Amino acid sequence: MGAVKTKRMPRAVREQQMLDAAVRTFGRRGYMAASMDEIAELAGVSKPLVYLYLNSKEDLFTACIRREAAALVAAVRGGVRTELPADRQLWDGLRAFFTHTSHYPDAWSVLHLQARTHGEPFATEVAAMRAEIVDFVTQLILVAAREAHRDPDLPASEVAGIAEALVGAAESLADWANTTPGVSARQAAATLMNFAWAGLANLMDGRPWTPPEAAHEVSG
């Protein structure tokens, strides 16, 4: 079988073409099962050219993670208009997140499943992306607290915990939405908003849920 013939094009364009093929292959087949031959064929280039541009399978996978992580963070940040009330900001951020993960399911698989299950350095790349999103959500919660004018200085540990829980729920819900026929990004965002905002609103109003006294708890 002869070498794949490729049309001349700028290196940056060709590299993105390779990354598109790699994201699709890694997302659908997994990191271990994906082959460089398959990626090269899907990209319409020769395997030596893939190695020339991106060095190794590990470097190619890392490049995919970085590109898709940056795209997801940009989508979430770009979806939020800071001049709107806090609940609209959170709603818009969630809708942007679910819209992106539904439009790019292979990329989401790379970020949320493949990168996390194949150790370093992949997990570190995804952790950095997740930390940026958690920090962004933390700021949205702080905005909500300031808008409430009742408890503008929620404990940092409580806000951080809420942000972590919200991002974790969004990640799980994105997996569910992408594998459940008929679930739209808007529906997924509304589900999480209804779940989260009522509790946040109560917290901002100074009506947090409190656990029962230790004496009344059942030991387990």
Side-chain angles (χ1 to χ4, degrees), residues 47-133:
K47 185 166 72 170
L49 189 61
V50 178
Y51 279 110
L52 178 64
Y53 277 35
L54 293 153
N55 303 317
S56 67
K57 183 178 179 181
E58 180 177 300
D59 287 344
L60 175 59
F61 191 51
T62 300
C64 290
I65 294 169
R66 288 175 179 171
R67 188 186 76 166
E68 300 309 325
L72 178 56
V73 171
V76 173
R77 288 188 176 277
V80 174
R81 291 172 289 172
T82 57
E83 72 275 11
L84 294 179
D87 62 329
R88 281 296 308 277
Q89 290 188 45
L90 183 58
W91 161 249
D92 288 343
L94 290 174
R95 192 172 57 175
F97 174 84
F98 289 115
T99 297
H100 189 88
T101 55
S102 66
H103 284 177
Y104 305 101
D106 294 332
W108 179 242
S109 177
V110 165
L111 292 174
H112 192 239
L113 179 61
Q114 299 302 322
R116 289 181 166 186
T117 57
H118 292 290
E120 300 297 344
F122 311 134
T124 297
E125 295 286 345
V126 174
M129 173 208 71
R130 192 178 191 278
E132 187 170 352
I133 292 178

Side-chain angles (χ1 to χ4, degrees), residues 3 14 24 34 39 41 47 61 76 104 109 172 179 201 207 212:
R14 178 70 75 191
R24 180 178 174 183
I39 292 168
E41 183 176 358
K47 185 166 72 170
F61 191 51
V76 173
Y104 305 101
S109 177
S172 296
T179 56
R207 294 182 285 111

Side-chain angles (χ1 to χ4, degrees), residues 120-202:
E120 300 297 344
F122 311 134
T124 297
E125 295 286 345
V126 174
M129 173 208 71
R130 192 178 191 278
E132 187 170 352
I133 292 178
V134 168
D135 181 67
F136 184 62
V137 172
T138 298
Q139 297 308 311
L140 292 183
I141 295 171
L142 290 173
V143 167
R146 287 195 296 269
E147 281 191 3
H149 298 296
R150 294 180 179 86
D151 191 6
D153 296 313
L154 290 173
S157 59
E158 188 167 12
V159 174
I162 292 170
E164 284 282 353
L166 189 58
V167 171
E171 291 170 339
S172 296
L173 197 57
D175 287 344
W176 173 77
N178 280 359
T179 56
T180 304
V183 178
S184 68
R186 184 181 180 86
Q187 287 173 313
T191 295
L192 187 52
M193 191 70 186
N194 282 321
F195 176 75
W197 188 254
L200 281 172
N202 285 336

